[in-house]
Structures are given as C-alpha cells and as structure tokens.
Amino acid sequence: MEITPLKPWHHLPAAEVAALLESDPERGLEQEEVERRQERFGLNQLTPKKGRGPLLRLLLQFHQPLIYLLLVSSAITAALREWVDASVILGVVLVNAGIGFIQESKAESAIAALAKIVATHARVLRGGKKISMASEQLVPGDVVLLAEGDKIPADLRLLHCRELRVNESSLTGESLPVTKHATPLAQDTLLADRANMAYAGSLVTSGHALGMVVATSDATETGRISRLMEEADVFSTPLTRKIEWFSKILLYTILALAAFTFVIGLARGESAFDMFMAAVALSVGAIPEGLPAAVTITLAIGVSRMARRRAIIRKLPAVETLGSTTVICSDKTGTLTQNQMMVQHIFAGNQAFTAGGVGYAPHGEITPAPSPAALECLLAGLLCNEASLEHKGGVWHVSGDPTEGALIVSAMKAGLEPESGHAAHPRLDTVPFESRHQYMATLHADCIYLKGAVEKVLERCTAMLGPDGSAMPLDHDGITLASTLMAEQGLRILALASKPPARGQSELNHGDLAADMLFLGLQGMMDLPRPEAIRAVKACHRAGIAVKMITGDHAVTATAIARQIGLFRDNQDSILTGRELALLDDAALEQAVRHTHVFARVEPEQKLRLVRALQANGEIVAMTGDGVNDAPALKQADIGVAMGITGTEVAREAAAMVLTDDNFASIEAAVEEGRGVFDNLTKFIVWTLPTNFGEGLVITAAIIGGVALPILPVQILWINMTTAVLLGLMLSFEPIEKGIMHRAPRTPTTPLLTPVLMGRIAIVSTLLLAGAFGLFMWELEHGASIEYARTVAANVFVCGELFYLFNCRSMSESMFKLGVFSNRWLVGGVALMAAMQLLFTYLPAMNEWFRTAPIDIWSWGRILGMSVIIYTIIGTEKWLRRTR
C-alpha cells in the first residue's frame, strides 16, 4: 500500500480507492490492521515545529553591528577602569535587549495551532462496529461516518453522501458551504472543486456521509499548508534592513576615523597610550548609543498607539513595516466582506426590490415598499427553511445554512417574524434538498412552498403571482432576464413558488411538485463588502498603496465584490484565476501581478507564489486573511495581518499583526501609525547624528591640531546618554503630521537618510564642531582652565542639540506651525535637560566625576548665541526648500 501526501484520490472510483487502501467500506479495518498502520503512519496529528529556545532568542537580541560596537566599547572602558562609562554603555545594551526579548517571547506557534484543528473526535467503522474515538487514532483506510455539526477529522474520499454540505471557507476561501458527492472527478480538478473529498478541519453543515481516510497528520491538506508555512521565508522588515545597512556604514566609518586619528597622532609624536585613549573617545563619541534603544522604544510606543486603534502588534518592527507598505493583498471572505450572506435584490410580480442593511442583522429597509407578491415571496423564503436566527452577545448568528439564514433576515426586514409565521402556517411535511433535484419543499396546512435553482423551479410553474397578489400568466423571458442580471452581479439566486395542497394532505413527495406551481419570485444574495472596507480601499489608493484581492472563491463573485469595493482602477477589470496562474512561470507571474487586481480560485501555495512575485518586484507586501489557507502567505509577507474575531488561530499565529475588530479599515489606521513611527525614527536619527559626528570631528581636529581634547570620553557619554533620553526620545511622542496619508509610500530602495537630510546633518555637525572647538580654544586663550574650557565645549553640544531638537520636530515645517506645546513630553524633556546640565556644570560632585567647572554668564551667552545660530540656519534651510 502506497500513501503519500501528493497522491490524488478524487479521480478514482470509490471501489478502487477502497481496494488501494486495502479496506472494506462495509466493515472498516480490523484492529490488528489498525495497529500495524499506526506503527507505520503514526498518530493523526501534525508534527510540532521546533522553535528557538529562550536563551537563543535572548542572544539574538545582541546580533546587531551597533550592539557589537557598544559591547566592545563597554569592555574597553571597563578594562581602563572607567566603571561609570562602562556601566552606562552596558546598561543601554541590556535595556534594548530586554525590550526586544519580551516582545519576541510570543513565539510563532502556527504549527501547534494547526494541530489543534486536527484534534477532534470521530465516529468510525471498525470490524463492522461503529465506535467513537479521538481523531488522532485514525489511520489511512479507516471508514468515517459524518453527520451535521462534525468537524472532519482527516482527509477523506467520500464513498456515499446524502445531502452532505461542508463549510471549507477556512481552507479554500469558498464563502458558501459546498455540496458534496461521491462521483469521480477529472484528475486536474482544483482543490476547491473536489466535491468528492472532505478535508481535515472543515465543518459539516448538513447531511450525512461515509468517507474513507486517505491521508492523516502531515499528509493532509492542512499538513501541506503546515509545510508551506515552514518554507515561507521570514523577511526582515524595511526598517531592520535599513538600520542594519546604516549601522554597518556607521561602524566602518567610525573605525576608519579612529584608526586615522591614531595614526595621525603617532605621526605627530604623541604616545601610543594617549592616542589609543583618543581613539576610544572618538569611537564612544561617534557611536549613537541611544539609537538601538530609541528604535525599540519608538516602535513600542507605536505598538501602544495601534492597540488603541484595534491593531495588536506581535512583532515590534511590524509597526514601521505598515508605514512602508506599497501593496496590500487581501483575502475576500471575512476580510473585505462580512462573511454573512445577505439578500440584496428581490424580484416579484415583475418588479425589482432592493434590501438594505448589514449582514445577519434583521434591520434595514426594502425599497420600494414590498408589494403583495414580494411579501408572499419573502414568506415562502421564511417558511421553506431549515435555518434559524439567534441573537447572542449583541451579535446576530445563523444556525444552519447561510443562504437560508439570509432568507429569514430578508423576511424580517419586511416585518415577517419567524415565530408568528411558523405558528400561523405550521409545517406538516418536508422534501429535503437533494443535489440531483436542486430544490427543497415544505407542506403547510394552507400551502406548499418550493425553493431552489431558478431553472428547476421555473420548469414546474404554469403561472406567476402578479404585483397585486393575484395570479397572472408566467413571464418566462422576464424572469430569465431578471435572473441573468442578478447572476452578472455575482449574486446567488433562489427561486420560490407555491401551490395549494390537496384537501387533507399530510405528506409531501416529488410528484406533488412536478407541475402547476405558482411562481412567487427570486431572491438574490451575496456576502456583501464591509462598508468601511470600501472607504479604506479609497484611502489606501489616495495614499499610493495598491490593494489586490486574493481569494479561493469563484471569479464571478470575486469580480462583483471587487467592483463594489473599487479595486479595479482605470476601469480595467484585471483578474486571473488559479488555473490561469498555474500556467505562468515565475517571470511571467512577476509581470502579471503588476496590473492584475483580483486573483480568484487561488490555492494556498499560489497565494504564496503571488506574495513572492510581488516581493520580487520590490514591493513591500502586507497580506491580510483569516483562514487556514491564508497562513503561509501571511508568514511570507513583509507583514501578515490576521482577523482577531473570525480568524482561525492558525492565521493569528502566523501573522505579525492582528485586527481585534476584523475591520479592514483598521489597516488604514495602522498604516497611518506606521508612517508616523518611521517619521519619528527619522527625526531622531537626523537629530542625534550631528552630535555624534560633531564629537568625532572635535576629537579629530584636536589630534590634527596637536591640542588637548576639548571633551573627554566620560563627558561624551554624559552628553550622548542624557540628551538621547531627555531630548531625542521625546521625538517618539511627536503627533502624526497632517497629510501623512496623502504621501506616496516610500520606495523600498529609498535610503534611511536622503541626500537632503544628509546635507542637514553635515551642516549641523560642522556648526557644532566650529562652536565647540572654537569656544574651547577661545576660553583657553583667555586664561580659562582646561576644565572650564571643556565644560563650555560640552555645553555647546547640549545646547546646540536642544535648539536643533525644535528644528527636528518636522523635516519640512516650522515648529510654530506644529504648535510649540503640541508635544508636552518634549517640553518636559527640555526643562529636565536644562536642569540636569546646570547640575553637570555647578554641582561639586558632578564637577569631580565629570571633570567640569562652573562657568560665568558671559560664557553662557556665547553658548546660547551659537545654539541660536544653529536653529536659525536650519530653519532658514527648511523655509527655502518649502518656498521653491
């Protein structure tokens, strides 16, 4: 017996399947054979994935170029017995690692979630006896009995079916329950169309069936998705890629500058020890010690802000990734749509009606007011029905078939209540829905109602109900035209008819329904788009973000939804089906995804291919979804976004972000927050680098000029750490700037720092060099002590940074346009920094620790004058760029 995950079963007759699996459909497997197969195939549960242990996750927090440099600096300063310096640097590293470790401790456990899907109970035929057992005990060849409400325990080839309907939406994306049968199919039939198969994790909504297990554990379709998730590449985010590149460039620059300084000093006859200390001072000064912590804390603030806007971030860098997103790939069912069928159009008495409302909520208006014919059509849908509508926890739920639930809701919108309707028209008998007949009928004391496919109902009718409720000749062409118009809109259509019962009739059979039916009307329904999703798609388009639908549902339905949501741009209905997609090689697919907006009847591995194709084109891809079939693509995408309410646990665990309200519109809010986070990170970097470069240039200038160092390593650390915490980090709280969602997305190739920002950094670095070095030499020439002159130089850096901070609140606008006090955190940080710097300058203990000295008011005047010059020059530069 050969059973592999890739072996097709749907094209084989049931008898051949049983023969290949060496099983008896009438008796099932014998216990001895079960035991042998369990030894061979193992338990019916997915193989758990080995994750990273806590120690490895912690160590990986230190795997960054800047962190390595900080650790080396800490070790060197400790070796030189500069304990304060070493402790401060090491503390920064540990805090950064701790924050990252806490966030990432919520390790991805998608494989474990998939295992929970398989873990259920099954009714099995073994040795001719029906027994109930844990599904993990199933083996290939077992015969399983299915009934309404069962969760399918393994992949089954169906042997016998009686009106079996299965909800496979989490696996295939099909929004409606699928009618199953046992007839062999063509070998190239797509997964979503394999109606003679039942897959693990799907739910039986109605009917009964007998199926034979053809795959268990990792060999099931769910197991295949598990393997796809393992194959999905874990992409670094745009931010981490840019920070990594930036850190490496910074690292090489610092090391080269330190080496240059060391060599120049030796060439001037300075001692190797003094030059080594100067090189250490330069390295410590040039390293932005606050950058790793600033990145982590800014992202953490973004996480908090997004949580208030109903988006839960599972991985910190995902905050910024949303701000970089250029394409959002969205699943249809339950994401762009409500995953609730709703009657949208009614045709009765040769008149069309429209039903308003949202989902299963029985609220909404039918316009125009329902005619007697329309009311009779709605009553027929209410009574010829096996579903029920329930209100639980403030939410309306349908128990039973979603299409029948939609008929109940449409009737209630017209004022027809289920309880009073059934009381007034008690049911006597039922002809249940069967695939071969494609209709259902119910017998009541005063009427027989028929509901089913349009062509099956229409061929049994001889007349129709007119607008006033009286019979009129059957308008076959008019009804067909109305049906065609509904179908073109992607609606699922049910026709309804009636006839009076025979006197005293108490039973109903197919012969009673063969002719003389009175046509009542049509009801067309659809899983409608979320209204907020329509607005969100428009907002994404305004922000320059492309939105593409990737669904397992049919092309007609997907196209109709895409039109309503506004996915098709420039009036081009660009759509590809899974079958067409399979014919494209990777290069052709990369071209196709550029202009195609809708992908229908797509299988899980094809969703993965689509995401990879977009990434190959340089796009930053956000993938939204809620089903098991979405999980591999969610993991592959730059950021996966899962639905928190209707989403499967698998999808939630595979995603980097979870929407707590299942609202596509929340993605727009998250994108806005993400853009704000990147803005604030850029502001911090543009603010902090001039200080680091300026300090490095001051040390270099002193070595080249053969003079004493204007600032010492311990003073550099004081400047860098206090200003980073009290000034720079306050930029993390900067409010989102107006018009941020009217910008085009940043192209993925755009560097972290643009030429304009690099020029600004160079200007401020040069001004700080001129101010600090110039005033240091001026004080020495006028008789000041070396400690006094160094205190002046240190205060030039702090005050220059403080004034430049107000320039950095916006990369283009004046702080007065933003509002001087709009960021209260920044105002508080500035006040506290000023107080700390006064202590640094005048407190005796601080003078001893940092080798500083009190300075007079004239020195302060020169320091503040230099700071005003920095603010004015940068403010003027921004004004000139705005007025171009």
Side-chain angles (χ1 to χ4, degrees), residues 51-62 101:
R52 292 170 175 169
L55 180 60
L56 180 58
R57 291 203 309 275
L58 179 61
L59 291 176
L60 286 174
Q61 304 303 318
F62 299 93
F101 176 75

Side-chain angles (χ1 to χ4, degrees), residues 109 158 255 295 405 530 546 605 764:
S109 54
L158 298 173
L255 292 177
V295 170
R530 296 172 179 266
E605 62 269 24
V764 178

Side-chain angles (χ1 to χ4, degrees), residues 94-126:
L94 293 177
V95 167
N96 180 69
I99 294 173
F101 176 75
I102 290 170
Q103 288 293 330
E104 293 183 13
S105 63
K106 299 175 180 178
E108 297 179 16
S109 54
I111 306 303
L114 283 164
K116 291 179 182 178
I117 281 186
V118 176
T120 182
H121 281 75
R123 290 184 302 136
V124 185
L125 193 63
R126 281 189 178 169

Side-chain angles (χ1 to χ4, degrees), residues 549-610:
M549 180 196 295
I550 304 178
T551 179
D553 213 339
H554 294 279
V556 173
T557 306
T559 302
I561 294 294
R563 286 200 189 106
Q564 293 181 50
I565 288 177
L567 289 189
F568 294 127
R569 306 178 75 177
D570 303 323
N571 296 317
Q572 294 182 352
D573 293 6
S574 49
I575 182 168
L576 266 180
T577 65
R579 194 179 293 276
E580 294 166 336
L581 197 154
L583 301 176
L584 301 178
D585 60 21
D586 289 345
L589 182 60
E590 288 169 18
Q591 288 298 318
V593 296
R594 295 177 188 273
H595 55 78
T596 304
H597 301 296
V598 176
F599 301 88
R601 221 61 180 151
V602 173
E603 299 193 4
E605 62 269 24
Q606 291 178 324
K607 291 188 178 187
L608 201 57
R609 278 192 71 201
L610 287 168

Side-chain angles (χ1 to χ4, degrees), residues 8 132 200 219 287 439 514 546 688 867:
S132 178
I287 297 172
Y439 61 72
T688 193
S867 302

Side-chain angles (χ1 to χ4, degrees), residues 589-647:
L589 182 60
E590 288 169 18
Q591 288 298 318
V593 296
R594 295 177 188 273
H595 55 78
T596 304
H597 301 296
V598 176
F599 301 88
R601 221 61 180 151
V602 173
E603 299 193 4
E605 62 269 24
Q606 291 178 324
K607 291 188 178 187
L608 201 57
R609 278 192 71 201
L610 287 168
V611 172
R612 285 173 172 163
L614 287 164
Q615 289 171 331
N617 287 337
E619 305 286 1
I620 303 300
V621 182
M623 171 73 189
T624 76
D626 61 351
V628 175
N629 59 330
D630 299 318
L634 286 172
K635 188 174 180 182
Q636 173 71 34
D638 294 279
I639 176 167
V641 183
M643 304 297 113
I645 299 173
T646 58

